[in-house]
Amino acid sequence: MKSFIFDMDGVIVDSELHWKSLEGYFLQSLIPAWTSADQDKIIGLSVHDLYRLLTTQYGLQHNKEEFLDLYHEMAREIYAEKASLIPGFLNVLSWLREKRIRIALASSSPRPWIEMVLDKYDLHMAFEVVVSADELHGEGKPSPAIYLLTAEKLGVQPERCVVIEDSEKGVLSSQRAGMFCIGFRNGFNGEQDLSTADLLITGFHQLDAATLTRLLALDQ
């Protein structure tokens, strides 16, 4: 049997929708020339990779500690107050758990942000393994590092893993790790190129029992 690995933002919770709004205004206040096209480029980046990008390519002068503090404030507002579970996620999760499929969460978000979501929706027992960008020492998506580490912690071969991702960087990350990738069109990521995903879905309703059973039977 394969293992299922979920990305968090835009897959489990609709946080990307809220990040686009709050983060866009915030970054425009720091970088006046910031545009929606620039915003689209950073989806899937960890906050550390984002800071590195902004300082090297956009001339950001903010101290990193100050920058991270501001982001943590936005994260608390998004995850604790605004974000909701993506419809259908709990149904898929329930089916996988019933079939005793090993389930993991791999997110570019810092661990405290992940904990907010796990706490809010009582999901601590849902995932056998949870991996955060904090564990990667700067090697974020599209590097395969996060998914290789997740497979290692699960104790399974990468080719036995199915990943659900909503960003171009995430799809590349999982495929470079040798995993089967489901690209997730969630209604607010139309600018993301998911064309290389092994399977494209527009909602968890498409991952019914028959489809999940076929996926688990596939040979990579």
Side-chain angles (χ1 to χ4, degrees):
M1 285 293 186
K2 293 184 177 177
S3 298
F4 261 67
I5 305 174
F6 291 87
D7 177 40
M8 185 177 78
D9 295 283
V11 173
I12 292 177
V13 288
D14 63 359
S15 48
E16 291 289 14
L17 177 65
H18 305 292
W19 275 116
K20 279 187 176 183
S21 175
L22 288 178
E23 186 180 42
Y25 285 118
F26 171 66
L27 291 176
Q28 200 166 43
S29 73
L30 299 181
I31 304 166
W34 190 259
T35 67
S36 59
D38 294 311
Q39 188 72 26
D40 293 341
K41 294 176 186 177
I42 67 173
I43 293 178
L45 287 180
S46 72
V47 68
H48 299 283
D49 287 339
L50 173 60
Y51 180 78
R52 188 179 304 114
L53 174 73
L54 295 178
T55 53
T56 58
Q57 296 187 26
Y58 291 85
L60 180 70
Q61 299 296 316
H62 270 59
N63 171 276
K64 186 175 184 180
E65 185 176 352
E66 177 187 358
F67 180 82
L68 292 178
D69 285 344
L70 291 169
Y71 257 81
H72 286 313
E73 288 179 18
M74 280 193 291
R76 279 192 289 272
E77 180 176 351
I78 288 170
Y79 295 114
E81 300 175 20
K82 295 181 178 293
S84 301
L85 287 177
I86 298 286
F89 163 68
L90 291 179
N91 293 334
V92 172
L93 180 66
S94 177
W95 189 91
L96 293 172
R97 295 184 70 184
E98 180 182 325
K99 300 299 180 182
R100 298 186 179 180
I101 306 303
R102 304 181 74 181
I103 307 169
L105 173 62
S107 173
S108 294
S109 291
R111 187 73 186 218
W113 302 5
I114 297 173
E115 292 295 326
M116 291 183 207
V117 173
L118 298 181
D119 288 341
K120 184 176 181 180
Y121 297 105
D122 194 22
L123 291 173
H124 283 281
M125 301 302 293
F127 303 102
E128 184 175 342
V129 166
V130 175
V131 177
S132 161
D134 292 344
E135 300 176 56
L136 303 176
H137 308 293
E139 196 174 356
K141 300 173 185 177
S143 162
I146 191 168
Y147 285 114
L148 292 174
L149 178 58
T150 304
E152 180 183 340
K153 289 192 171 191
L154 283 169
V156 299
Q157 294 300 311
E159 61 270 20
R160 304 300 297 165
C161 297
V162 176
V163 171
I164 304 182
E165 268 285 358
D166 73 312
S167 72
E168 179 179 357
K169 292 180 177 65
V171 170
L172 290 173
S173 175
S174 64
Q175 292 189 316
R176 288 172 180 174
M179 299 178 177
F180 185 97
C181 183
I182 300 173
F184 188 36
R185 287 287 179 209
N186 52 29
F188 40 88
N189 66 341
E191 78 288 341
Q192 294 295 302
D193 182 3
L194 309 182
S195 60
T196 63
D198 299 290
L199 173 68
L200 278 173
I201 63 172
T202 58
F204 281 114
H205 64 280
Q206 292 180 276
L207 294 182
D208 56 17
T211 302
L212 288 166
T213 300
R214 286 196 299 270
L215 285 175
L216 292 170
L218 286 176
D219 287 325
Q220 276 286 78

